[in-house]
């Protein structure tokens, strides 16, 4: 064996440093452990002392409230005596009142009346009062000031000494308001210390009432098991602050010398403080027990570390000897493999007593192989897999190696188990060679990163960098599996931004993109870090909130989100406020599949937007049914448009002057295959909301022109027919062009068609509105303003838009004959129309009284149920002729 210059074998010199590392490390670990132990014990003690001080202050506040309640009882008794005194003009007998049970708690409270010389006039029980007490009380009550908590010592016959009483006094005046007597209430100090105070008295605690002068007015002190103790205060310094708590020196404050945590609360306007004392040793008893247990555990850990150090030193020597024996083999193998960029391992299987494969030992490797596991070659050789990996990672690698031993070859790609490993992904190829395994390892991080980037791009929203809708369904499946496994619930929030479309349409997509990025940041800030925020598409976001206790947690998260969006969003295009409508579905109550949960949350969000934007709603099956019914109705409307289930009814307009028909108003009706005629009030709002009104409007224009052509072909008398144009149809389509095509297709005279526009369609008074009305009039079609009076049209608007007539809304016609205001409004509308050379039509006429008043007001035409309700084309003109005949007979 080679020896050094000092005669010590070279092997031992090489291993000496390695051996000394273990005891040095053990000393460092033990030193740090004991240091942190005492640090933690000190922290726990300070925490317990602070909590005890807080408890003392809280108990003192509660005791002050109890004192105030007991004072209310005393003052109530004084008010009763004062009332009796004034009502009886001084003829008061307190002994009789006490016998009748009129005083509260007579065993503790004694009531007396004294005159100006301190003599007792009457009392609820025999009493004595010291001269000092009378001298203190009378000057104060004469000046109108009540006396609170005056301590008097009353001698008690047959007993060892005086008995302490607390005195309260108030002035009694005669009829002239002069001092007549004083009502004095003597109270046993125990009256203020009664009640259940287990939190205070369980061990050497006390309750006390201390005056602002430092004197004790009342005190109760008990030891363990309720043992009554003598007065504990030796000296209570005046309590300077209105409330507080402190650790009181037992030698200065208390007769028993025991330190206590003292809390106090001043009882306002009464000159005393409520004091609570908690025993120091009792309060810190849990800490002493904890310290004893922790130190015992620390000693046990110390012994364990020392034993482990000895075993580690022994194992180090054994490994060193093995390393020396295998050095020649390693050096030869290294020369052949070091030049390669791949790592190479030689593994020897380790079997148990029954021959079962339980582990693998690294018997050789090259430099690159050691780098891939963040180790040195000398440290890696001789290690088992169990020394390198643990948990799930160890199981995966053992399974791969077992398969290679069984089949002779295996190939896998595995991720790194620790951040310290240089390669994020490694491809392993395993070959069985005799009883050993040869393993090659290649870093495939770049190839895997490229693959992950492609996956990330397919699952990430490029604008907000949030996961997208394709990713969220997979995440939901994982969340459902976790919730079922752990028996928990989670919430899915479906969020839609209110006002996004207006900003996007006004300022363009750049502003919309900036708003979406800001919204994504606010959503992430409003929820917990572990909650998943995704952009579902457009201005819709989905948040998955896992591990919640109940629906209230989801509601709180929704409120945080809505508070986040109440703040102004500052963008390069200006400052804006957008809202968030949120729909919530819960697992498992609202669904157990990802698509069902998303669908139900979407339904709940739609409910929030429908009822009140900027709110949140939970999924409601009833609303879902309503929504399904609405969608079914929309489907039926689309089918009705395709199958031509709409027909036109006509309501006549009559000239008030001669009773002749001047025009017909075309009204659309839906002839449902199973429900029959459907009211317009039921389907018109739906077609307006869905945009089907554009197709329906074109259909109505075509049907009216076709009907006019049919009447002309049959030789019927023709009158103009007015067509209602919806605001959306007027603003979104070229109505004039549609009318021209229909007139040309059916060869109808333009003078036989009129158009009715609502005020909401034209209230903007823009150039496009004026141009659209002029284009319609240039075709020869007259334009009327419908439902006049319900909007915000001005005289200047009517003048600029140049209507041929206006129709007074039925809401004003109903008021005729009922209120004077109805006549005034209709007269003003008629006068204005006359000034603008427009004809005036009154809608909703139902009585002859209304007809007479409209004729007197110089109205041109009327229509309504009095004339005729809307009827099919075949019945429209006969009804009108009957009305003309009736008018002729009446005339």
């Amino acid at each position: 064996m080679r020896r050094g210059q000092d005669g010590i074998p070279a092997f031992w010199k090489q291993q000496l440093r390695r051996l000394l590392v273990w005891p040095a490390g053990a000393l460092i670990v033990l030193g740090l452990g004991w240091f942190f132990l005492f640090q933690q014990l000190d922290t726990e003690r300070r925490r317990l002392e602070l909590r005890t001080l807080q408890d003392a202050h809280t108990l003192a506040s509660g005791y002050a409230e109890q004192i105030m309640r007991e004072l209310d009882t005393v003052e109530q008794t004084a008010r009763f005596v004062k009332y009796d005194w004034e009502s009886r003009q001084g003829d008061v007998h307190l002994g009789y009142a006490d016998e009748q049970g009129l005083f509260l708690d007579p065993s503790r409270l004694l009531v007396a009346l004294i005159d100006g010389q301190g003599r007792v006039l009457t009392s609820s029980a025999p009493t004595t009062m010291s001269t000092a007490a009378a001298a203190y009380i009378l000057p104060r009550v004469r000046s109108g000031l009540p006396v609170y908590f005056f301590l008097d010592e009353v001698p008690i016959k047959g007993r060892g000494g005086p008995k302490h009483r607390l005195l309260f006094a108030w002035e009694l005046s005669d009829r002239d308001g002069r001092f007549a007597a004083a009502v004095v209430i003597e109270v046993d100090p125990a009256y203020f210390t009664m009640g259940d105070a287990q939190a205070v008295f369980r061990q050497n605690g006390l309750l006390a009432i201390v005056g602002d002068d430092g004197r004790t007015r009342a005190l109760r002190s008990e030891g363990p098991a309720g043992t009554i103790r003598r007065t504990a205060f030796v000296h209570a310094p005046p309590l300077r602050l209105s409330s507080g708590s402190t650790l009181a020196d037992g030698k200065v404050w208390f007769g028993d010398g025991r330190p206590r945590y003292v809390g106090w609360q001043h009882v306002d306007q009464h000159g005393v403080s409520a004091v609570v004392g908690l025993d120091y040793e009792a309060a810190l008893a849990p800490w002493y027990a904890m310290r004893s247990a922790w130190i015992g555990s620390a000693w046990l850990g110390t012994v364990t570390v020392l034993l482990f150090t000895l075993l580690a030193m022994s194992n180090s020597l054994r490994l060193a000897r093995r390393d020396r024996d295998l050095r020649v083999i390693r050096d030869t193998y290294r020369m052949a493999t070091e030049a390669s960029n791949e790592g190479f391992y030689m593994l020897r299987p380790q079997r148990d007593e029954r021959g079962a494969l339980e582990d693998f030992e690294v018997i050789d490797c090259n430099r690159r192989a050691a780098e891939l596991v963040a180790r040195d070659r000398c440290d890696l050789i001789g290690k088992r897999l169990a020394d390198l990996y643990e948990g799930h990672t160890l199981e995966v690698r053992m399974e791969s190696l077992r398969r290679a031993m069984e089949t002779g070859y295996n190939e896998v790609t595995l991720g790194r188990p620790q951040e310290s490993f240089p390669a994020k992904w490694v491809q392993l190829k395993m070959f069985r060679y005799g009883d050993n395994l040869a393993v090659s390892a290649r870093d495939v991080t770049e190839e895997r990163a490229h693959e992950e980037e492609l996956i990330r791009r397919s699952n990430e929203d490029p604008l907000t960098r949030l996961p997208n809708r394709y990713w969220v369904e997979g995440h939901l499946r994982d969340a459902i599996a976790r919730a079922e496994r752990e028996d928990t619930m989670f919430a899915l929030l479906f969020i839609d931004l209110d006002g996004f479309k207006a900003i996007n349409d006004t300022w363009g997509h750049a502003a919309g993109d900036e708003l979406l990025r800001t919204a994504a940041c606010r959503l992430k800030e409003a929820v917990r870090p572990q909650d998943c925020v995704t952009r579902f598409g457009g201005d819709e976001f989905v948040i998955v909130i896992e591990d919640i206790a109940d629906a209230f947690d989801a509601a709180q998260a929704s409120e945080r989100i809505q508070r986040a969006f109440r703040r102004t969003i500052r963008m390069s295009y200006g400052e804006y406020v957008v809202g968030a409508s949120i729909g919530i579905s819960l697992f498992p109550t609202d669904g157990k599949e990802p698509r069902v949960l998303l669908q139900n949350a979407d339904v709940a969000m739609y409910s929030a937007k429908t009822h009140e934007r900027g709110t949140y709603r939970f999924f409601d099956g009833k609303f879902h049914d309503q929504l399904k019914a609405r969608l079914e109705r929309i489907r039926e409307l689309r089918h009705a448009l395709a199958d031509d289930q709409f027909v036109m009814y006509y309501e006549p307009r009559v000239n008030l002057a001669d009773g002749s028909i001047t025009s017909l108003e075309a009204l659309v009706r839906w002839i449902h295959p199973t429900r029959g005629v459907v009211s317009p009030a039921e389907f018109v709002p739906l077609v307006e909301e869905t945009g089907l009104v554009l197709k329906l409007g074109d259909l109505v224009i075509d049907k009216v022109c076709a009907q006019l052509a049919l009447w002309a072909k049959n030789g019927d008398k023709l009158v103009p027919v007015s067509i209602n144009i919806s605001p959306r149809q007027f603003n979104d389509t070229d109505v004039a062009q549609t009318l021209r095509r229909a007139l040309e297709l059916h060869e109808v005279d333009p003078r036989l068609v009129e158009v009715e526009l609502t005020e909401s369609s034209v209230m903007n008074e823009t150039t496009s509105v004026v141009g659209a009305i002029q284009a319609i009039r240039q075709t020869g079609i007259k334009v009327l303003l419908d439902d006049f009076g319900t909007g915000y049209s001005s005289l200047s608007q009517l003048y600029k838009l140049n209507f041929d007539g206006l129709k007074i809304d039925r809401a004003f016609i109903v008021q005729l004959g009922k209120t004077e205001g109805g006549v005034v409004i209709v007269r003003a509308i008629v006068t204005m129309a006359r000034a603008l050379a427009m004809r005036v039509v009154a809608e909703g006429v139902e009585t002859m009284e209304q007809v007479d008043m409209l004729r007197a007001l110089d109205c041109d035409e009327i229509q309504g149920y009095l004339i005729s309700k809307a009827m099919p084309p075949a019945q429209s003109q006969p009804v009108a002729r009957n009305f003309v005949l009736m008018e002729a007979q009446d005339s």
Side-chain angles (χ1 to χ4, degrees):
M1 180 178 294
R2 184 172 58 90
R3 294 177 175 269
Q5 295 178 356
D6 54 358
I8 301 176
F11 172 80
W12 289 102
K13 289 186 64 176
Q14 294 173 358
Q15 300 304 319
L16 183 60
R17 182 177 298 176
R18 180 185 298 180
L19 291 175
L20 293 177
V21 166
W22 288 103
L27 290 175
I28 293 173
V29 169
L30 291 174
L32 290 175
W34 281 98
F35 172 79
F36 286 121
L37 171 64
F38 286 113
Q39 285 286 98
Q40 186 63 29
L41 283 172
D42 186 63
T43 300
E44 291 296 328
R45 176 172 182 146
R46 289 197 300 271
R47 185 181 294 118
L48 182 58
E49 289 179 337
L50 178 60
R51 185 166 65 248
T52 306
L53 286 171
Q54 292 172 345
D55 292 342
H57 181 262
T58 301
L59 291 169
S61 299
Y63 184 35
E65 293 177 1
Q66 175 188 341
I67 293 172
M68 291 300 296
R69 290 194 296 270
E70 306 302 343
L71 283 175
D72 287 342
T73 301
V74 174
E75 291 179 357
Q76 180 180 357
T77 303
R79 285 194 294 270
F80 170 78
V81 174
K82 184 176 181 181
Y83 173 79
D84 198 29
W85 168 277
E86 293 174 353
S87 62
R88 294 176 181 269
Q89 302 181 5
D91 186 17
V92 177
H93 299 283
L94 297 179
Y96 172 79
D98 184 51
E99 293 172 358
Q100 299 299 317
L102 300 179
F103 293 142
L104 301 174
D105 202 355
S107 64
R108 301 282 186 178
L109 278 70
L110 188 148
V111 186
L113 297 179
I114 64 173
D115 60 14
Q117 286 72 41
R119 293 175 300 206
V120 178
L121 301 178
T122 179
S123 65
S124 60
T127 181
T128 59
M129 183 179 302
S130 68
T131 304
Y136 178 86
I137 291 172
L138 290 174
R140 283 161 176 75
V141 298
R142 282 179 180 275
S143 62
L145 299 175
V147 175
Y148 294 102
F149 289 100
F150 179 74
L151 182 65
D152 189 23
E153 295 183 351
V154 180
I156 304 299
K157 293 181 179 181
R159 299 192 180 178
K163 187 173 183 179
H164 296 285
R165 290 288 186 179
L166 297 176
L167 300 184
F168 302 81
W170 290 266
E171 177 188 10
L172 295 178
S173 305
D174 59 15
R175 291 183 176 181
D176 299 328
R178 293 173 299 182
F179 174 84
V183 55
V184 179
I185 300 178
E186 296 183 6
V187 183
D188 186 351
Y191 179 75
F192 291 94
T193 59
M194 296 186 299
D196 184 12
Q198 290 299 321
V200 177
F201 295 133
R202 58 189 173 206
Q203 284 188 4
N204 298 306
L206 64 85
L207 289 177
I209 301 176
V210 179
D212 293 346
D213 55 1
R215 296 184 62 195
T216 303
R217 301 297 196 272
L219 186 139
R220 176 183 174 190
S221 178
E222 294 181 11
T227 304
I228 305 297
R229 294 182 178 271
R230 295 183 179 276
T231 303
F233 275 122
V234 170
H235 173 65
L239 304 173
R240 303 290 183 185
L241 302 177
S242 61
S243 65
S245 60
T246 186
L247 175 60
D249 187 350
K251 296 180 180 179
V252 176
W253 283 59
F254 307 110
D256 57 6
R258 299 180 67 88
R260 288 178 175 85
Y261 293 98
V262 175
W264 69 90
Q265 176 66 49
H266 194 265
V267 182
D268 294 338
Q269 302 178 0
H270 295 89
V272 296
S273 296
V275 180
V276 171
L278 301 178
D279 187 71
Y280 175 85
E281 293 184 2
L284 291 184
W287 180 83
Y288 286 114
M290 179 180 66
R291 183 184 66 174
S292 178
W294 284 14
I295 290 177
S297 299
W299 278 116
L300 180 60
T302 300
V303 173
T304 303
V305 170
L306 292 176
L307 290 175
F308 175 79
T309 301
L310 293 175
L311 291 174
M313 293 173 67
S314 175
N315 191 50
S316 295
L317 286 174
R318 183 179 61 84
L319 293 177
R321 294 183 182 219
R322 178 176 296 181
D323 179 68
R324 183 188 58 184
D325 296 338
L326 297 176
R327 185 172 302 156
V328 175
I329 299 174
R330 289 200 308 269
D331 291 344
T332 303
Y333 177 74
R334 183 174 59 255
M335 292 177 63
T337 59
E338 287 298 331
S340 174
N341 195 37
E342 292 188 5
F344 294 95
Y345 307 87
M346 289 297 295
L347 304 180
R348 177 181 297 159
Q350 303 293 310
R351 303 182 184 273
D352 59 16
E353 296 177 353
R354 294 175 296 178
L357 185 61
E358 64 176 6
D359 206 344
F360 288 88
E361 180 186 5
V362 180
I363 60 175
D364 202 0
C365 69
N366 66 348
R367 177 188 53 80
R368 180 58 177 163
E371 290 176 352
L372 291 176
V373 293
R375 288 177 178 266
D376 294 331
R377 292 182 61 259
C378 59
D379 183 42
L380 182 59
I381 295 174
K383 289 288 192 296
R384 295 190 178 191
L385 245 61
D387 300 328
L388 303 174
Y389 308 105
E390 59 184 10
H392 179 69
T393 304
L394 177 60
E395 293 178 4
V396 171
R397 279 157 175 74
M398 283 295 298
E399 178 61 28
S400 301
L401 295 172
R402 285 194 185 100
R403 186 171 302 175
M405 288 295 293
E406 293 171 359
T407 63
Y409 174 78
N410 190 21
E411 181 178 346
V412 294
T413 300
L414 300 175
R416 62 184 173 192
Q418 301 175 17
E419 290 295 327
S420 60
F421 284 24
K424 189 174 182 180
W425 294 97
V426 176
Q427 184 185 56
L428 300 178
K429 294 182 180 180
M430 294 156 277
F431 304 87
R432 187 179 64 196
Y433 181 76
D435 292 334
N436 297 330
L437 273 181
V439 180
S440 67
R442 185 170 66 89
D443 184 355
V444 292
T445 301
E446 292 185 2
E447 296 90 329
R448 192 62 179 250
H450 179 69
E451 180 182 348
E452 288 180 346
E453 177 64 17
L454 294 177
I455 296 174
R456 184 191 64 80
R457 291 185 180 183
S458 65
N459 289 284
E460 182 183 86
D461 174 47
L463 177 64
T464 61
R465 298 298 182 185
L466 296 176
N468 59 22
R469 65 185 303 164
Y470 303 106
W471 179 89
V472 74
E473 289 193 12
H475 179 72
L476 279 175
R477 282 191 290 271
D478 296 338
I480 290 171
R482 284 192 295 271
E484 290 177 340
R485 184 172 58 253
E486 300 170 7
D487 192 23
T488 58
M489 66 184 298
F490 68 84
L492 189 145
L493 277 57
F494 202 103
I495 303 166
D496 183 87
L497 301 182
D498 302 322
F500 169 79
K501 186 176 185 302
I503 296 174
N504 194 64
D505 293 346
T506 303
W507 298 105
H509 295 299
D513 292 347
E514 186 177 353
L515 176 58
L516 289 174
R517 285 191 292 269
T518 304
C521 293
R522 291 200 176 182
L523 288 174
K524 293 179 69 175
E525 293 170 356
V527 298
R528 302 172 303 181
Q530 66 268 30
D531 296 332
C532 172
V533 181
T534 63
R535 183 188 176 197
F536 202 67
D539 61 341
E540 295 176 338
F541 296 84
V542 169
I543 299 179
V544 181
I545 302 179
E546 295 190 61
D547 194 20
I548 63 174
D550 49 36
F552 180 71
D553 291 343
Q556 282 188 317
S558 301
E559 290 173 357
R560 289 197 303 271
I561 292 171
Q562 289 172 341
R563 283 197 299 269
F565 280 94
R566 293 191 187 108
R567 304 195 312 269
T568 300
I569 296 178
R570 292 181 175 86
M571 302 192 305
S572 55
Y573 296 87
E575 296 185 357
Y576 301 95
V577 176
V578 298
S581 296
I582 305 174
I584 307 171
S585 63
L586 301 174
F587 174 86
T589 55
D590 297 332
K592 296 184 178 180
E593 296 292 334
R595 291 187 180 275
V596 175
L597 288 170
L598 285 168
Q599 174 184 317
N600 291 342
D602 190 11
V603 169
M605 183 275 294
Y606 182 79
S607 173
K609 292 186 77 72
T610 302
H611 291 86
E612 184 180 358
R613 289 174 177 261
T615 60
Y616 65 87
R617 287 196 176 237
F618 288 89
F619 172 71
D620 185 353
K622 294 181 179 179
F623 180 80
H624 188 204
D625 294 339
Q626 295 173 1
L627 182 60
K628 285 167 57 178
R630 180 179 181 275
L631 294 175
E632 177 62 21
R633 188 58 46 80
I634 294 174
R635 187 193 65 79
E636 289 181 342
L637 281 171
R638 295 184 187 278
H639 186 68
L641 283 169
D643 289 1
D644 195 17
Q645 295 177 7
F646 293 97
V647 299
M648 303 307 301
Y649 278 40
Y650 298 90
E651 182 178 346
R653 288 190 349 231
V654 173
N655 191 322
L656 266 178
D658 56 12
S660 62
I661 296 176
T662 58
S663 179
L664 298 173
E665 181 177 357
L667 301 171
V668 67
R669 296 291 185 268
W670 179 13
I671 309 300
H672 195 278
T674 58
R675 298 171 58 202
V677 179
V678 180
S679 170
E682 186 174 345
F683 70 85
V684 168
L686 197 56
V687 297
E688 291 262 8
E689 182 181 344
T690 58
L692 295 175
V693 69
L694 303 179
K695 291 184 178 180
L696 183 59
D698 292 346
L699 181 64
V700 167
I701 292 173
D702 184 76
K703 284 183 175 290
V704 170
C705 291
Q707 186 62 54
L708 283 169
L710 181 60
W711 279 334
K713 181 179 179 181
N714 295 337
D716 294 327
K717 180 180 178 181
L718 298 179
V719 294
V721 178
S722 62
I723 303 172
N724 290 286
I725 303 298
S726 73
R728 188 165 183 178
Q729 183 182 8
F730 180 75
N731 292 312
D732 294 353
T733 66
D734 188 348
V735 176
Q737 180 63 25
T738 304
L739 288 167
R740 277 195 295 269
R741 286 198 300 265
L743 293 173
E744 293 174 359
L745 177 64
H746 299 286
E747 299 179 353
V748 175
D749 188 345
R751 291 174 297 179
L752 293 174
V753 177
E754 297 177 346
V755 167
E756 296 186 15
L757 301 175
T758 61
E759 285 186 272
S760 60
S761 302
V762 299
M763 64 183 300
N764 291 330
E765 194 186 329
T766 61
T767 304
S768 60
V769 170
V770 175
I773 294 176
Q774 290 177 350
I776 295 172
R777 298 185 79 249
Q778 287 173 359
T779 63
I781 297 173
K782 294 182 178 180
V783 182
L784 284 74
L785 183 61
D786 193 16
D787 296 334
F788 183 77
T790 60
Y792 302 93
S793 297
S794 63
L795 183 62
S796 63
Q797 281 181 311
L798 296 177
Y799 177 75
K800 291 179 181 179
L801 297 176
N802 194 19
F803 290 102
D804 296 291
L806 59 84
K807 301 179 75 173
I808 305 175
D809 189 77
R810 67 181 67 246
F812 301 113
I813 304 304
V814 171
Q815 298 300 318
L816 292 178
K818 296 181 180 180
T819 62
E820 294 183 1
V823 176
V824 172
I825 292 174
V826 174
R827 178 181 291 114
I829 294 174
V830 172
T831 302
M832 179 178 62
R834 286 282 178 270
L836 297 174
M838 292 190 294
R839 293 184 64 79
V840 182
V841 181
E843 297 181 292
V845 178
E846 298 180 356
T847 66
M848 287 303 299
E849 180 183 5
Q850 293 171 348
V851 172
D852 294 338
M853 297 183 72
L854 289 168
R855 184 180 286 114
L857 291 170
D858 200 20
C859 182
D860 297 310
E861 302 175 15
I862 61 173
Q863 73 179 90
Y865 281 0
L866 180 65
I867 309 303
S868 171
K869 63 180 181 180
M871 302 186 71
Q875 304 176 26
S876 298
Q877 294 203 18
V879 171
R881 285 195 293 272
N882 289 339
F883 177 79
V884 173
L885 292 174
M886 180 184 70
E887 286 293 308
Q889 290 172 359
D890 291 342
S891 62

